[in-house]
Amino acid sequence: MIVCKFGGSSLADAGQFKKVHDIVKANPDRHYVVPSAPGRRFANDEKVTDLLYSCQRAASAGADFSGILLRVQERYDAIIRDLGLKLSLSREFDTIARQIRDGAGSEYCASRGEYLNGILLAAYLGFDFVDAAGVVRFDKNGLLMEDETLRLLSDELKNHTRAVIPGFYGAEDDGTVRTFSRGGSDISGALVASSVNADVYENWTDVPGFCIADPRIVPDAKYIPSITYKELRELSYMGATVLHEDAVFPVRKCGIPTNIRSTNDPQHPGTMISVSAGLDSVQHTITGIAGQKGFSIVHIEKDMMNSELGFGRRVLQAFEEYAVNFEHLPTGIDTMSVVVRESELNRHRDEVIARIEELVHPDQINVADNIALIATVGRGMVRMFGTAARLFTAISSRGISIRTIDQGSSEISIIVGVDAADFNSAIEAIYDAFVRT
Ligand code: ASP
């Protein structure tokens, strides 16, 4: 049994709907389909979800929103017309307009993109429509009630051999519609997959998976054929985005693999994310490289620091007191570095430094700004001798100095800090050393 989620670009117009239809029908195991709202058809196009948010903003400012809602309606009408469907959403649009006029919240408004697309896609595929409001449960604070949701979904889906369940939203007990954060249909898909114990959760988007490195930096970067959830977590934390971060948990828990696929290139096997990909699927020692700019390193030195009980705790206390989150903590014998996001540090920079001085009386303390962190991730790195040396040689042979190193205890990632100006070149160097050779 397969659960497939299709993103907004996969359902942006009738042409894309046809591709989705062919994909779903090509494999009878594809029983449940979770759609997003229609996304962009071309570069400067508007996403239906964004239009719906604008509608609600206009309404709550007392302005006329009917023009914007009409643009939304035209998007659906064009799809219905071009697919030759006998379906009218005008009554739905009357209800939506009335609800907005009566003060419906932004989550209700935004959710209508998926709701309407679900009705449309179900009609086109000949599948049942299951409204997510009845099967995805949120609490009063808008937090997902996962166990309750899985129970509701699995009970309901027993009554439908094939169904479309819209993504992105659900409801509280009293029917108040709530949404996930943006891109949240990925989470809905994962919940559906988990509730029916699917063999695979297919997530169809406009790219065939994750690239080994950001293609804006390495234009010919290859796709990653197989990756573990753990590796993915390390890469996403560093900014690699294809999948909503929270979409991993429901499926990972049940051991269901997620397959990222491209609606525009359905023959491409995409990236398979699994709980434990075997080492025989490792192609290049490393699985992926991801990085981000905007970090600072607070470097603290004090002789005999290693024998001073509570030193580290007091340093971190200074950050905690000012609610500055720390990201990494590379330490030496008499040195300790705290890597933080520059934007966070800037809120209380002087206070944090003064507090560290007060708490631990360091011999020296300095801050390096404009640091980029680069994570090189790979389950194959542990068994390969000399991976770190290869990585550092690759970077330093380009004349780039490494400002900090942190090898996660998981041994599936090595994080290096370089000056932001060297960011692209360091990533190219790592890609060259591990993938091009
Ligand atoms: N349509 C929503 C968004 O644009 C949710 C999604 O696509 O997953 O964020």
Side-chain angles (χ1 to χ4, degrees):
M1 155 113 57
I2 299 173
V3 170
C4 348
K5 178 257 167 180
F6 289 91
S9 57
S10 299
L11 293 161
D13 59 21
Q16 293 298 87
F17 263 74
K18 285 185 186 151
K19 292 182 194 168
V20 167
H21 176 275
D22 292 349
I23 290 166
V24 173
K25 299 287 172 172
N27 187 342
D29 288 341
R30 296 188 172 118
H31 283 260
Y32 301 110
V33 179
V34 176
S36 285
R40 292 193 186 92
R41 293 159 294 183
F42 40 85
N44 291 324
D45 197 16
E46 287 159 309
K47 290 182 175 185
V48 160
T49 309
D50 290 325
L51 287 170
L52 289 164
Y53 278 121
S54 310
C55 259
Q56 199 276 336
R57 270 197 305 274
S60 61
D64 178 22
F65 62 86
S66 55
I68 314 174
L69 193 58
L70 191 63
R71 293 217 306 271
V72 175
Q73 189 162 3
E74 281 164 2
R75 288 284 303 262
Y76 290 99
D77 284 348
I79 298 172
I80 292 171
R81 188 192 55 233
D82 296 347
L83 293 178
L85 289 174
K86 300 256 168 302
L87 177 79
S88 165
L89 294 176
S90 46
R91 281 188 42 202
E92 298 289 350
F93 273 97
D94 290 344
T95 310
I96 295 169
R98 196 176 54 246
Q99 299 275 19
I100 298 179
R101 235 177 283 120
D102 291 350
S106 66
E107 295 181 59
Y108 165 82
C109 260
S111 75
R112 297 304 85 184
E114 272 71 11
Y115 170 75
L116 296 166
N117 228 20
I119 296 178
L120 216 165
L121 185 61
Y124 185 44
L125 292 173
F127 281 20
D128 297 343
F129 171 75
V130 173
D131 187 353
V135 284
V136 176
R137 191 60 72 240
F138 286 83
D139 68 15
K140 285 271 161 254
N141 301 316
L143 293 174
L144 172 73
M145 297 169 73
E146 189 172 330
D147 293 342
E148 177 74 352
T149 297
L150 292 177
R151 199 182 51 72
L152 288 168
L153 271 169
S154 95
D155 283 354
E156 182 60 30
L157 294 180
K158 284 190 186 110
N159 308 322
H160 309 271
T161 333
R162 297 184 185 277
V164 172
I165 309 103
F168 191 38
Y169 73 93
E172 293 174 29
D173 269 338
D174 66 2
T176 308
V177 169
R178 305 297 300 240
T179 55
F180 292 110
S181 55
R182 295 299 302 265
S185 300
D186 286 340
I187 308 171
S188 312
L191 289 165
V192 173
S194 160
S195 76
V196 297
N197 202 13
D199 297 309
V200 55
Y201 168 34
E202 290 179 346
N203 192 295
W204 293 82
T205 175
D206 52 0
V207 288
F210 286 90
C211 285
I212 294 180
D214 187 336
R216 286 168 299 188
I217 299 171
V218 181
D220 62 342
K222 293 191 196 171
Y223 283 99
I224 301 174
S226 107
I227 183 170
T228 64
Y229 283 112
K230 249 199 200 138
E231 290 172 306
L232 180 67
R233 174 104 182 97
E234 303 266 344
L235 290 175
S236 321
Y237 163 73
M238 271 298 160
T241 51
V242 170
L243 197 62
H244 192 297
E245 254 197 304
D246 296 342
V248 160
F249 303 108
V251 270
R252 186 171 86 176
K253 253 191 268 172
C254 319
I256 301 170
T258 302
N259 190 190
I260 310 286
R261 303 283 294 267
S262 169
T263 303
N264 303 321
D265 186 4
Q267 299 313 321
H268 197 297
T271 296
M272 187 63 93
I273 313 162
S274 54
V275 176
S276 58
L279 284 178
D280 46 338
S281 56
V282 170
Q283 286 188 327
H284 305 288
T285 307
I286 65 161
T287 303
I289 312 160
Q292 259 179 10
K293 294 180 184 171
F295 292 93
S296 298
I297 306 174
V298 180
H299 186 76
I300 302 140
E301 266 185 54
K302 188 177 185 188
D303 279 347
M304 310 293 287
M305 148 192 315
N306 66 327
S307 55
E308 197 179 317
L309 200 66
F311 187 95
R313 182 184 51 73
R314 286 196 294 278
V315 168
L316 293 181
Q317 179 189 335
F319 288 89
E320 190 180 352
E321 281 177 6
Y322 290 95
V324 176
N325 232 330
F326 80 91
E327 305 291 327
H328 299 282
L329 209 58
T331 52
I333 298 174
D334 291 328
T335 63
M336 178 172 171
S337 302
V338 184
V339 181
V340 291
R341 286 190 195 269
E342 207 172 321
S343 55
E344 288 214 18
L345 181 64
N346 281 346
R347 285 192 277 118
H348 295 289
R349 178 181 288 251
D350 295 343
E351 295 95 316
V352 170
I353 305 294
R355 190 69 179 128
I356 296 173
E357 280 177 340
E358 207 173 282
L359 285 167
V360 299
H361 310 289
D363 296 336
Q364 222 187 12
I365 175 163
N366 54 57
V367 183
D369 291 316
N370 286 320
I371 299 292
L373 293 184
I374 300 169
T376 304
V377 175
R379 59 192 180 279
M381 297 198 312
V382 202
R383 59 159 193 176
M384 291 293 291
F385 186 70
T387 307
R390 208 163 142 200
L391 178 76
F392 302 145
T393 309
I395 297 175
S396 55
S397 64
R398 297 228 181 170
I400 300 169
S401 82
I402 298 178
R403 307 292 301 271
T404 185
I405 299 170
D406 194 7
Q407 169 154 31
S409 49
S410 59
E411 280 200 61
I412 62 162
S413 87
I414 300 175
I415 294 172
V416 295
V418 298
D419 286 332
D422 295 326
F423 181 61
N424 287 12
S425 158
I427 288 184
E428 280 164 17
I430 301 169
Y431 189 89
D432 261 357
F434 287 96
V435 185
R436 290 217 177 87
T437 48

